[in-house]
Amino acid sequence: MKPEYSTERIGSYYRLTGVCPLEHRYNDGDSFLVRHGEDEFELRLYYVDTPEKYLSDEHAKQRERVAEQADYFGLSLDQTIALGQVAKTYVERLFQEQGSFTVYTAWEQVYDGDRYHGFVEIDDPQKPSEKIYLTELLVREGLGRIHTRGEETPKGQSWRAYKEQLYSLERRAKEARRGAWMF
């Protein structure tokens, strides 16, 4: 059964309901192919960067990115790649459990490419009656670093206030030794 979907303009964002994940070899913890109605597009989360899920033998920039991620978390390259796989699996499991979710996007392209920045709103696994942005959840679980483009949230929270909220979640993840911070 296909989920009900809709599009609604909310401030500078389009609120897309009934969005479903699609399997794709490039999916990872912070970027994934989705379907909304008949449309398919690749979504890239605001604010968060999950580690890469492989180390390229061909692309120096990708290797540099993994090294930056490893440095941020204080991990080896192998541990960083393993964390990237964990983040990807974690997001896939969440999407599978929830079936569909809501996306907020202004259709802003990522580096003039085929991906679009956005927020994913899902049920909070710790409090299923409440919604949470996937960005927050990844930081809270120690699976992503605070990085990349930020923007005012769909609820109107300034990018600075939201970033501070994410840093608070990251501090708690470190203290609890969750995700990358367990080593």
Side-chain angles (χ1 to χ4, degrees), residues 28-29 50-57 62-67 69-71 73 75-89 143 180 183:
D28 59 22
T50 60
E52 302 302 311
K53 59 186 191 231
Y54 69 96
L55 190 59
S56 174
D57 292 329
Q62 193 267 4
R63 293 181 74 81
E64 288 172 20
R65 184 173 179 89
V66 174
Q69 293 166 337
D71 187 54
F73 289 115
L75 301 174
S76 70
L77 292 179
D78 288 341
Q79 289 170 320
T80 303
I81 297 300
L83 184 66
Q85 288 290 342
V86 169
K88 176 184 185 271
T89 301
L143 299 175
F183 298 99

Side-chain angles (χ1 to χ4, degrees), residues 16-146:
L16 312 174
T17 61
V19 177
C20 297
L22 296 173
E23 288 188 35
H24 194 273
R25 69 184 189 139
Y26 294 125
N27 287 355
D28 59 22
D30 60 36
S31 186
F32 25 82
L33 188 64
V34 298
R35 173 179 285 130
H36 181 250
E38 300 301 317
D39 298 322
E40 294 180 5
F41 60 96
E42 191 171 355
L43 187 70
R44 173 68 172 90
L45 295 176
Y46 279 119
Y47 289 98
V48 70
D49 179 42
T50 60
E52 302 302 311
K53 59 186 191 231
Y54 69 96
L55 190 59
S56 174
D57 292 329
E58 301 172 14
H59 303 288
K61 287 201 182 285
Q62 193 267 4
R63 293 181 74 81
E64 288 172 20
R65 184 173 179 89
V66 174
E68 287 173 12
Q69 293 166 337
D71 187 54
Y72 184 90
F73 289 115
L75 301 174
S76 70
L77 292 179
D78 288 341
Q79 289 170 320
T80 303
I81 297 300
L83 184 66
Q85 288 290 342
V86 169
K88 176 184 185 271
T89 301
Y90 181 76
V91 169
E92 287 174 343
R93 184 178 49 78
L94 281 173
F95 286 167
Q96 183 178 20
E97 290 171 0
Q98 303 211 5
S100 67
F101 46 89
T102 299
V103 168
Y104 293 88
T105 184
W107 297 112
E108 177 186 7
Q109 291 179 304
V110 178
Y111 305 121
D112 297 323
D114 296 334
R115 299 183 300 163
Y116 298 93
H117 286 290
F119 290 92
V120 169
E121 184 181 67
I122 60 173
D123 296 332
D124 187 333
Q126 292 180 1
K127 301 174 188 173
S129 62
E130 296 181 20
K131 299 290 185 185
I132 189 169
Y133 294 129
L134 182 55
T135 297
E136 295 169 44
L137 191 52
L138 289 166
V139 172
R140 182 176 87 187
E141 296 302 320
L143 299 175
R145 66 180 176 152
I146 301 162

